[in-house]
């Protein structure tokens, strides 16, 4: 198949070249249609059209052994003809679209309408305006100029609405940009192994071209479509494309089709790439969806309008804001090869349904508590604002028409309407202030900020809420290899030829025959991709590439002054007769080769207790096999293997077996083949504990997090390492179990797993050794489902292998290893540790707790402002017919409290002190009693001062009273002082809000957070401008210096008052308890049926597979409040709220989701992240 044949082939084909896609022997269309065939059809087609896979390689001008020449012009040409290996992402939303979405917010729409009505009326001068008899409340004679200025208030409200909208849109826009950045970063990090010019190189997935020869191995996620050329035991999980959960065996003669987006579950091999990017199978699905996406969206929005009535504005936006995030989340890096294959309708319910398929976690703890709190606050706000409006209207009508017996004159109507509009605006303003729309913003900012910073701490967060769930973690189940240890394997002890060497033996002391067998057994019976390369820097350790255990063994060969390369070049990978690759069931790997005399030899290696059971001979000192009986084996286990294991070494046994040439053994009957082995040697491999791990584990334990080690290793090795790490301390009461024993203890007579039995074991279990992936999954599920402790456990799991997928998916937070991890593990995880280091997990815990605290700080600040503003507006309106805080001023306060405060308080950097407290757990209220004490305490201070100023302020400052002013009167100094004092108090209270556990020093570490300082000073500056130059639009009149001093002085009083509050012991304030338990699970609103915590937890468990992504943009909360209106209508509201908050406790509600046809499609094609239906059922 050298150049000769190539040139021959092309001279023959010269004539057809014009018809054959430029200069390749097959066109894009031919290859694309070929890849659509499966199994035998494909084999037949290849035979008929091309001859065999080698012929296809020749047509694509590539060599199955050498690969592409890799020259730039050639690669360019291939990209032009066959396309590039990347799927263009969906266009991001433009800034204007985001502005439009922000405008959809219900409260803002109400305000806009009110403002427009108010504007219209101010320009309308009816003849009756001169009629003095219209309304007594009109008060003193109005200045002509003032009447003209009536439009200002309406305009100012509109202006502030525009401000809020722009801020919101800008936040969304930068958030989307950040996600795209993160996404492209994930994509660039995704590499794949190909052969070019005879060299094995790793290239970014996007660089792969048609004709490349790619090396595929266990755990890979295929980046392009291709044909299988050669390999062994290759099994692929194609569920992401076909939905079939069975693994598909691939072979050159039966089923050579390898498809992008599928996972390699076992084996290894090579493939020639035949289709990339949009022409690959996954790409084709995307293109279909991309094209159909636009029309879908239109249809969808119509559907939403009909279905949800009032709830529409937030709904549309709900899906939209999310598009970028959900993409960033559902797709981890197989270069954009694997976004989710069904992002069709942006705003629709099908989307929710899909996410329900893809997403595994129930909603995060924080989010559950927040949604609940927001709905409660919203209801309260709605009631307050309604009462305010009713009281104002009643008072006005009673006063005008009953007390003063005025007739309703037609010419007076506009004047009255103007009054009613003013009352309506006041009501809406109360609502605006009551609703904490800054909450989602605070959460977003806090999480986005944390995620960005966590990148620096080697945590690549794929699902945002994972970062906050991590703060609540109570248990971490960690792998041993690579996470707790350095994953640099070195052989330190060996048992060869009846001698136990405590260090590497001298080569001369080993018999030559044994040595040759040993070198061959190690060199041939290991993946050829595993190598030891010279160190990059002088004096560094040699680089280990590939499987680390095999690297350790190859290193042993080198230490014995031998070389494995010549052996491999003599027996290249293509000549291996049969390979039984390592998997978690076999726990060993064997390779069969054909000897020169036509007989067969099989080399085996694997966990010593497993391989030794299959040995019936062992090589003695002279290199001759002698009988190896069970009792010899027991003695060897006692004398050699256990001592090695107790030193924390992993023991590996290397063995071989010869077979005659005829009759040829039945290779598929593994039990007979993998038996009667002859043991060559047993080695002890050391994998040293990472130096920083013991300290990290100590921090976890101090923070109330239990660390458990789950490993496939021998129990003695595991115990030794656990002691070194500090997971277990001698003399403590703990359990170390093997997988078998664990299974025996948790299953009943029928072999079913019982939760009560798991509950007896897990609290004390610290080490689970020789465990299979199912054991890991069982343990994680058992801990999560346990009701043994009063708090439900929140479990984090680390994993790197393909087989860790189920456990990573089941856990509350799954950590995958960035370096050692397989693509499958990364796909199932929430956070990727880019340095594979356990201590990075501790950083994640710190950040997670910080997010929780930031939200609490924000809430403490926000609720104080809310309580005060609502009460002031309400009582003021009822007593003086006019809110002391005007609509525009309220909007400004809302802007500081919401947007700026969320920025300032959400970006506090974490400190080590966060690790000194126990996790909050699931049932702890968001607002602790200490916080409740702070909120109410500060509210009392602020209300006292504001009402004092309102009713006796004019006497204190010797100024005109601002009460009972007519409709368009000029702004009074009196009310300006109230507004200014109010804002000053908020500013200083923002500093108090930095501490939520009742600490005294609120300034602690304030300069470490420049954003906070900037915002406080900035707000102060803007406030000065508003008061001095705001004039009519802000209803402000400029203040004297002494008046300013008083305002600031009253504000400073907040800090002093904060100290007073801190002195009151929380334990004395028993009555606060009820108020603080806003978010107890029992108090779930009536729509959610189950009053009992237990059942809700159960419902949440059912939902574990279907967490509907929650990061739903800023206006999610108003939507809910608006929905509360339609509350009485029952079903539609329930459906809506459920879709939004994903706490569905009745599954039939999910059936209300629209468009079944698309949903079924989404199930069939559900993305690679989602589990196959069978597995999904286990949740």
């Amino acid at each position: 198949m050298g150049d000769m044949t190539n040139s021959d082939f092309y001279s023959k084909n010269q004539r057809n070249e014009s018809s054959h896609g430029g200069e390749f022997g097959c066109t894009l269309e031919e290859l694309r249609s070929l890849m659509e065939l499966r199994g035998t059809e494909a084999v037949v087609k290849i035979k008929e059209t091309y001859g065999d896979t080698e012929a296809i390689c020749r047509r694509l001008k590539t060599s199955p052994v050498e690969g592409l020449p890799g020259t730039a012009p050639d690669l360019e040409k291939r990209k032009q003809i066959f396309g590039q290996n990347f799927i263009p992402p969906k266009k991001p939303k433009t800034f204007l679209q985001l502005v439009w979405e922000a405008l959809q917010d219900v409260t803002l729409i109400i305000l806009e309408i009110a403002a427009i009505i108010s504007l219209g009326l101010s320009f309308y001068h009816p003849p009756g305006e001169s009629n003095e008899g219209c309304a007594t409340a009109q008060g003193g004679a109005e200045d002509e100029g003032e009447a003209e200025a009536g439009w200002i208030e309406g305009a100012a409200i509109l202006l502030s609405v525009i401000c809020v909208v722009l801020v919101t849109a800008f936040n969304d826009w930068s958030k989307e940009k950040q996600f795209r950045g993160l996404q492209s970063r994930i994509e660039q990090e995704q590499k794949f192994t190909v052969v070019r010019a005879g060299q094995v190189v790793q290239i970014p997935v996007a660089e792969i071209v048609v004709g490349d020869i790619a090396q595929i191995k266990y755990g890979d996620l295929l980046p392009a479509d291709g044909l299988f050329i050669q390999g062994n035991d290759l099994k692929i999980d194609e569920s992401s494309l076909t939905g079939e959960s069975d693994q598909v065996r691939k072979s050159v003669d039966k089923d050579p089709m390898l498809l992008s987006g599928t996972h390699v579950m076992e084996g290894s091999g090579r493939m020639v790439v035949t289709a990339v990017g949009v022409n690959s199978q996954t790409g084709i699905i995307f293109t279909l969806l991309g094209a159909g996406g636009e029309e879908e969206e239109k249809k969808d929005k119509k559907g939403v309008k009909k279905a949800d009535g009032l709830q529409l504005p937030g709904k549309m936006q709900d899906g939209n804001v999310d598009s970028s995030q959900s993409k960033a989340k559902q797709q981890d890096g197989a270069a954009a090869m694997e976004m989710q294959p069904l992002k069709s309708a942006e705003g629709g319910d099908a989307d929710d349904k899909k996410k329900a398929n893809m997403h595994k976690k129930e909603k995060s703890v924080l989010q559950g508590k927040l949604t609940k709190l927001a709905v409660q606050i919203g209801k309260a706000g709605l009631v307050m604002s309604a009462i305010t409006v009713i009281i104002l209207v009643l008072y006005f009508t009673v006063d005008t028409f009953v007390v003063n017996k005025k007739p309703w004159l037609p010419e007076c109507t506009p004047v009255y309407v103007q009054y009613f509009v003013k009352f309506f605006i006041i009501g809406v303003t109360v609502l605006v202030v009551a609703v904490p729309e800054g909450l989602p913003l605070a959460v977003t900012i806090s999480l986005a900020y944390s995620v960005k910073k966590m990148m620096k701490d080697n945590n690549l967060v794929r699902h945002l809420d994972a970062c906050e769930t991590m703060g609540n973690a109570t248990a971490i189940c960690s792998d041993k290899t690579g996470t707790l240890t350095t994953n640099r394997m070195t052989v330190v002890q060996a048992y060869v030829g009846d001698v136990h060497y405590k260090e590497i033996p001298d080569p001369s002391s080993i018999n030559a025959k044994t040595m040759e067998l040993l070198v061959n057994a190690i060199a041939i019976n290991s993946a050829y991709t595993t190598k030891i390369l010279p160190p990059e820097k002088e004096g560094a350790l040699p680089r280990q590439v590939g499987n680390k255990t095999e690297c350790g063994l190859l290193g042993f060969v080198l230490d014995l002054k031998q070389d494995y390369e010549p052996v491999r070049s003599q027996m290249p990978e293509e000549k291996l007769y049969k390979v039984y690759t390592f998997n978690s069931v076999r726990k060993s790997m064997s390779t069969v080769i054909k000897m020169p005399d036509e007989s067969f030899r099989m080399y085996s290696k694997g966990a010593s207790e497993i391989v030794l059971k299959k040995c019936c001979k062992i090589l003695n000192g002279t290199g001759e096999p002698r009988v190896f009986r069970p009792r010899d084996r027991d003695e060897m286990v006692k004398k050699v293997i256990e001592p090695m294991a107790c030193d924390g070494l992993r023991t590996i046994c290397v063995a071989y077996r010869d077979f005659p040439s005829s009759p040829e053994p039945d290779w598929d009957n593994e039990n007979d083949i993998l038996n009667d082995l002859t043991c060559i040697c047993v080695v002890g491999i050391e994998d040293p504990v990472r130096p920083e791990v013991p300290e990290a584990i100590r921090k976890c334990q101090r923070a109330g997090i239990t660390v458990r080690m789950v490993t496939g290793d021998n129990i003695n090795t595991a115990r030794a390492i656990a002691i070194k790490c500090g997971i277990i301390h001698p003399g403590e009461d703990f359990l170390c179990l093997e997988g078998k024993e664990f299974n025996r203890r948790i299953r009943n007579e029928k072999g079913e797993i019982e939760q009560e039995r798991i509950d007896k074991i897990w609290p004390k279990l610290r080490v689970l050794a020789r465990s299979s992936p199912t054991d890991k999954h069982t343990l994680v599920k058992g801990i999560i489902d346990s009701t043994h402790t009063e708090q439900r456990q929140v479990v984090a799991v680390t994993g790197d292998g393909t087989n860790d997928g189920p456990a990573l998916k089941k856990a509350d937070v799954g950590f995958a290893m960035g370096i050692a991890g397989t693509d499958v593990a990364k796909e199932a995880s929430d956070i990727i540790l880019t340095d594979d280091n356990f201590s990075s997990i501790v950083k994640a815990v710190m950040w997670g707790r910080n997010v929780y605290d930031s939200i609490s700080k924000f809430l403490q600040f926000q609720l104080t402002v809310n309580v005060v503003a609502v009460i002031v507006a309400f009582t003021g309106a009822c007593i003086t017919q006019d809110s002391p805080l005007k609509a525009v001023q309220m909007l400004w306060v809302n802007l500081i409290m919401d947007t700026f405060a969320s920025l300032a308080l959400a970006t506090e950097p974490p400190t080590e002190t966060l690790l000194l407290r126990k996790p909050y757990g699931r049932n702890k209220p968001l607002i602790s009693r200490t916080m409740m004490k702070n909120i109410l305490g500060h509210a009392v201070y602020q209300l006292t001062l504001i009402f004092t100023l309102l009713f006796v302020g004019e006497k204190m400052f010797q100024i005109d009273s601002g009460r009972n002013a007519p409709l368009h009167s000029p702004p009074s100094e009196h009310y300006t002082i109230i507004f200014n004092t109010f804002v000053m108090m908020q500013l200083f209270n923002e500093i108090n809000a930095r501490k939520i556990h009742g600490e005294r020093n609120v300034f602690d570490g304030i300069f470490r957070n420049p954003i906070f300082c900037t915002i406080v000073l900035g707000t102060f500056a803007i406030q000065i401008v508003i008061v001095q130059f705001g004039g009519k639009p802000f209803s402000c009149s400029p203040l004297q210096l002494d008046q300013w001093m008083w305002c600031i002085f009253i504000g400073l009083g907040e800090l002093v008052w904060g100290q007073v509050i801190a002195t009151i012991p929380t334990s004395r304030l028993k009555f606060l308890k009820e108020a603080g338990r806003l978010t107890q699970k029992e108090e779930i609103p009536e729509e959610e049926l189950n009053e009992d915590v237990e059942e809700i937890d159960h419902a949440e468990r059912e939902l574990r597979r279907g967490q509907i992504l929650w990061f739903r943009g800023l206006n999610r909360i108003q939507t809910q409040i608006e929905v509360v209106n339609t509350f009485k209508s029952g079903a539609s509201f329930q459906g809506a709220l459920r879709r939004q908050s994903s706490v569905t406790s009745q599954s039939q509600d999910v059936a209300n989701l629209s468009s079944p046809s698309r949903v079924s499609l989404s199930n069939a094609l559900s993305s690679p992240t989602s589990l196959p239906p069978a597995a999904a059922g286990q949740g």
Side-chain angles (χ1 to χ4, degrees), residues 175-347:
K175 193 167 75 187
E176 188 150 331
K177 208 170 110 203
Q178 223 171 6
F179 272 110
R180 287 188 179 262
L182 189 69
Q183 201 173 324
S184 61
R185 181 165 160 183
I186 295 179
E187 279 163 26
Q188 284 153 12
E189 285 185 354
Q190 181 85 11
K191 295 257 201 306
F192 208 81
T193 318
V194 297
V195 182
R196 284 197 179 162
Q199 293 296 312
V200 177
V201 286
Q202 287 217 321
I203 57 170
V205 167
E207 298 292 310
I208 293 178
V209 293
V210 170
D212 257 324
I213 303 294
Q215 290 201 342
I216 50 180
K217 59 177 191 313
Y218 158 84
D220 282 343
L221 187 150
L222 301 182
D225 292 356
L227 296 174
F228 186 45
I229 313 177
Q230 59 100 159
N232 28 56
D233 235 10
L234 191 67
K235 287 191 186 153
I236 306 272
D237 170 12
E238 293 188 349
S239 57
S240 56
L241 283 176
T242 59
E244 296 294 323
S245 52
D246 298 341
Q247 295 176 7
V248 187
R249 274 198 99 114
K250 296 290 178 186
S251 60
V252 181
D253 44 0
K254 298 224 172 53
D255 181 2
M257 311 310 267
L258 299 173
L259 306 171
S260 59
T262 57
H263 293 130
V264 182
M265 300 312 274
E266 217 176 283
S268 61
R270 292 179 170 202
M271 71 169 187
V272 56
V273 176
T274 53
V276 293
V278 284
N279 301 307
S280 65
Q281 291 304 298
T282 314
I284 292 170
I285 294 174
F286 276 131
T287 353
L288 290 175
L289 295 170
E294 303 305 309
E295 297 88 76
E296 283 285 20
E297 204 165 310
K298 290 183 192 123
K299 265 189 288 190
D300 225 71
K301 290 198 173 170
K302 283 184 199 132
V304 172
K305 279 181 190 157
K306 286 193 207 88
D308 290 11
L310 252 175
Q311 198 217 346
L312 122 161
K315 185 73 197 137
M316 277 150 64
Q317 172 168 339
D318 247 28
N320 290 353
V321 172
D322 207 44
S323 67
S324 65
Q325 286 91 309
S326 57
K327 272 189 195 156
K329 291 174 192 172
Q330 273 128 5
Q331 153 217 8
D332 179 59
M337 286 313 303
E338 211 193 332
M339 282 181 222
Q340 82 260 45
L342 257 181
K343 187 76 191 109
S344 53
E346 281 274 59

Side-chain angles (χ1 to χ4, degrees), residues 714-759:
N714 168 320
I715 188 149
N716 297 323
T717 313
R719 192 183 287 123
I721 299 274
I723 291 173
K724 283 184 194 165
C725 293
I727 291 178
I728 52 183
H729 303 288
E732 276 182 0
D733 179 21
F734 58 80
L735 280 174
C736 292
L737 294 181
E738 284 203 342
K740 274 208 187 95
E741 172 66 7
F742 173 69
N743 272 310
R744 198 181 58 71
R745 290 199 191 186
I746 61 171
R747 291 173 193 274
N748 58 17
E749 297 69 52
K750 295 186 194 140
E752 295 159 349
I753 296 173
E754 285 188 1
Q755 187 63 43
E756 303 78 82
R757 290 172 182 243
I758 298 183
D759 286 349

Side-chain angles (χ1 to χ4, degrees), residues 321-597:
V321 172
D322 207 44
S323 67
S324 65
Q325 286 91 309
S326 57
K327 272 189 195 156
K329 291 174 192 172
Q330 273 128 5
Q331 153 217 8
D332 179 59
M337 286 313 303
E338 211 193 332
M339 282 181 222
Q340 82 260 45
L342 257 181
K343 187 76 191 109
S344 53
E346 281 274 59
D349 305 343
D351 225 37
D352 282 9
K353 185 72 180 235
K354 272 175 306 213
K355 288 176 189 152
N357 282 338
M358 309 182 132
H359 264 282
K360 46 181 184 176
K361 304 276 189 293
E362 65 206 46
K363 60 181 188 164
S364 73
V365 188
L366 178 68
Q367 172 209 352
K369 294 178 178 180
L370 280 179
T371 311
K372 195 119 183 292
L373 191 70
V375 171
Q376 288 170 326
I377 295 175
K379 285 180 183 170
L382 205 62
V383 171
M384 288 293 268
S385 61
I387 296 175
T388 313
V389 175
I390 293 167
I391 289 181
L392 285 170
V393 172
L394 281 179
Y395 187 96
F396 176 76
T397 36
V398 169
D399 189 56
T400 313
F401 303 117
V402 181
V403 181
N404 295 321
K405 299 193 172 51
K406 286 268 166 60
W408 180 297
L409 302 170
E411 63 268 25
C412 289
T413 309
V415 182
Y416 296 144
V417 172
Q418 222 164 338
Y419 267 101
F420 291 142
V421 169
K422 176 180 158 186
F423 298 150
F424 181 63
I425 289 181
I426 292 172
V428 173
T429 324
V430 171
L431 179 64
V432 171
V433 175
V435 176
E437 55 285 18
L439 259 184
L441 182 61
V443 178
T444 307
I445 291 176
S446 183
L447 286 175
Y449 172 78
S450 305
V451 167
K452 213 167 167 180
K453 288 272 187 273
M454 281 167 81
M455 291 285 280
K456 294 198 177 74
D457 286 339
N458 303 312
N459 283 300
L460 180 68
V461 181
R462 293 184 61 226
H463 300 148
L464 274 182
D465 49 1
C467 134
E468 161 268 314
T469 312
M470 209 42 222
N472 284 319
T474 53
I476 298 176
C477 295
S478 171
D479 264 5
K480 173 179 79 71
T481 312
T483 315
L484 300 173
T485 57
T486 53
N487 202 6
R488 228 203 118 72
M489 310 277 189
T490 38
V491 173
V492 288
Q493 296 187 21
Y495 178 86
V496 191
D498 294 342
V499 189
H500 182 180
Y501 298 96
K502 286 290 165 87
E503 61 250 357
I504 299 288
D506 185 75
S508 56
S509 64
I510 296 177
N511 175 291
K513 262 200 285 191
T514 311
M515 182 68 97
E516 190 197 355
L517 269 172
L518 178 63
V519 174
N520 278 333
I522 292 175
I524 294 172
N525 184 28
S526 59
Y528 279 32
T529 45
T530 306
K531 307 186 184 55
I532 291 190
L533 302 178
E536 284 173 344
K537 295 198 281 290
E538 280 295 305
L541 293 165
R543 279 182 302 157
Q544 297 188 340
V545 183
N547 180 314
K548 298 299 193 234
T549 314
E550 292 180 353
C551 285
L553 291 168
L554 292 175
F556 179 51
V557 171
L558 298 177
D559 289 340
L560 293 171
K561 309 283 185 288
Q562 306 292 316
D563 192 4
Y564 62 87
E565 282 296 347
V567 181
R568 282 186 174 179
S569 45
Q570 218 176 348
M571 176 62 67
E573 208 169 353
E574 298 79 67
K575 285 202 188 157
L576 300 180
Y577 196 78
K578 170 118 185 102
V579 178
Y580 299 94
T581 46
F582 180 89
N583 64 23
S584 50
V585 183
R586 288 191 190 119
K587 289 240 188 272
S588 68
M589 171 179 176
S590 315
T591 305
V592 181
I593 56 170
K594 213 168 190 164
M595 304 298 277
D597 62 356

Side-chain angles (χ1 to χ4, degrees), residues 594-740:
K594 213 168 190 164
M595 304 298 277
D597 62 356
E598 295 294 306
S599 66
F600 300 99
R601 173 171 286 174
M602 177 179 75
Y603 293 115
S604 269
K605 67 165 191 290
S608 55
E609 56 261 52
I610 289 167
V611 178
L612 278 177
K613 280 202 184 100
K614 298 178 176 161
C615 290
C616 61
K617 301 198 180 87
I618 187 167
L619 294 184
N620 62 16
T622 56
E624 296 303 321
R626 66 172 169 84
V627 180
F628 185 62
R629 289 184 297 275
R631 68 157 187 270
D632 300 333
R633 183 170 64 234
D634 297 340
E635 188 182 359
M636 180 149 168
V637 167
K638 247 207 257 12
K639 294 257 175 69
V640 180
I641 292 175
E642 282 186 359
M644 281 189 190
C646 291
D647 293 341
L649 304 183
R650 198 178 206 174
T651 53
I652 301 279
C653 173
V654 182
Y656 78 102
R657 176 182 178 185
D658 286 325
F659 296 97
S661 53
S662 65
E664 186 172 327
D666 172 9
W667 299 116
D668 290 334
N669 184 351
E670 271 185 50
N671 294 342
D672 291 355
I673 300 286
L674 296 179
N675 228 329
D676 297 339
L677 306 175
T678 306
C679 169
I680 305 173
C681 73
V682 173
V683 293
I685 298 185
E686 183 185 39
D687 185 6
V689 172
R690 286 174 180 262
E692 60 282 346
V693 162
E695 172 58 19
I697 286 181
R698 205 164 54 249
K699 279 184 189 162
C700 281
Q701 289 163 342
R702 204 173 53 215
I705 300 170
T706 315
V707 182
R708 296 184 174 82
M709 181 161 99
V710 182
T711 174
D713 257 352
N714 168 320
I715 188 149
N716 297 323
T717 313
R719 192 183 287 123
I721 299 274
I723 291 173
K724 283 184 194 165
C725 293
I727 291 178
I728 52 183
H729 303 288
E732 276 182 0
D733 179 21
F734 58 80
L735 280 174
C736 292
L737 294 181
E738 284 203 342
K740 274 208 187 95

Side-chain angles (χ1 to χ4, degrees), residues 314 1110-1111:
W1110 79 286
F1111 232 21

Side-chain angles (χ1 to χ4, degrees), residues 836-880:
D836 288 14
N837 194 337
F838 186 84
S839 58
S840 303
I841 298 179
V842 183
K843 294 261 179 45
V845 171
M846 209 156 82
W847 276 106
R849 292 185 172 192
N850 191 52
V851 169
Y852 202 96
D853 279 7
S854 297
I855 305 298
S856 295
K857 289 171 190 175
F858 173 71
L859 269 177
Q860 176 173 305
F861 174 69
Q862 166 97 45
L863 292 180
T864 313
V865 187
N866 279 6
V867 170
V868 176
V870 170
I871 293 178
V872 167
F874 177 70
T875 41
C878 298
I879 297 170
T880 66

